[in-house]
Amino acid sequence: MKRQEVIIYAQTYDFKNDEGHLVPAGEIHILSKKQALSNEKGVSNGYRIAQVEVPFEVAQRIIGQVPAVCEIEYEITEVNKALVLLPSNVQVIQEIESLNILEETDPISAFG
């Protein structure tokens, strides 16, 4: 299954497996579609973020290109006897200039 998603963060890291060996891994953060969820106290608007583990090579390939609109290919994998969708391949379609309004203004000079 392939989907277009906005990835706002990518990183690589090492962790120790059960045998104590360092294993390279990766992580991406995927921005959801805008939410408007009602609960007992009112309505919550905004965007949720999915934090997903990916193969080291996948994260390494897109570091420096995110935030970006990406095509993500998912595969069904069994984890702890449950079927889950995990990204197996990520291709950058279009980089996004900025998602942070603070990058465009200097907050210190606003108080000067």
Side-chain angles (χ1 to χ4, degrees), residues 18-51:
D18 294 338
E19 292 82 37
H21 299 106
L22 284 179
V23 177
E27 176 182 299
I28 60 174
H29 294 189
I30 302 170
L31 192 64
S32 74
K33 294 188 178 3
K34 189 167 184 180
Q35 305 287 310
L37 304 173
S38 295
N39 59 27
E40 65 276 357
K41 294 182 181 179
V43 175
S44 173
N45 282 328
Y47 296 89
R48 299 190 82 173
I49 297 171
Q51 194 172 323

Side-chain angles (χ1 to χ4, degrees), residues 7 11 14-15 18-19 30 32-33 41 46-47 54 61 67 70-71 76 78 85 90-92 95-96 99 101 104 108:
I7 297 179
Q11 76 166 354
D14 295 326
F15 71 94
D18 294 338
E19 292 82 37
I30 302 170
S32 74
K33 294 188 178 3
K41 294 182 181 179
Y47 296 89
V54 296
R61 188 173 56 246
C70 298
E71 182 175 84
I76 298 173
E78 186 175 331
L85 283 175
V90 176
Q91 297 295 323
V92 173
E95 292 183 40
I96 300 171
L99 292 177
I101 192 169
E104 298 170 9
I108 296 175

Side-chain angles (χ1 to χ4, degrees), residues 52-91:
V52 183
E53 291 182 28
V54 296
F56 175 84
E57 297 79 17
V58 170
Q60 185 180 39
R61 188 173 56 246
I62 65 171
I63 287 177
Q65 298 180 64
V66 295
V69 176
C70 298
E71 182 175 84
I72 303 176
E73 186 174 342
Y74 292 93
E75 65 180 35
I76 298 173
T77 306
E78 186 175 331
V79 176
N80 296 328
K81 298 183 180 182
L83 295 177
V84 295
L85 283 175
L86 291 177
S88 62
N89 191 18
V90 176
Q91 297 295 323

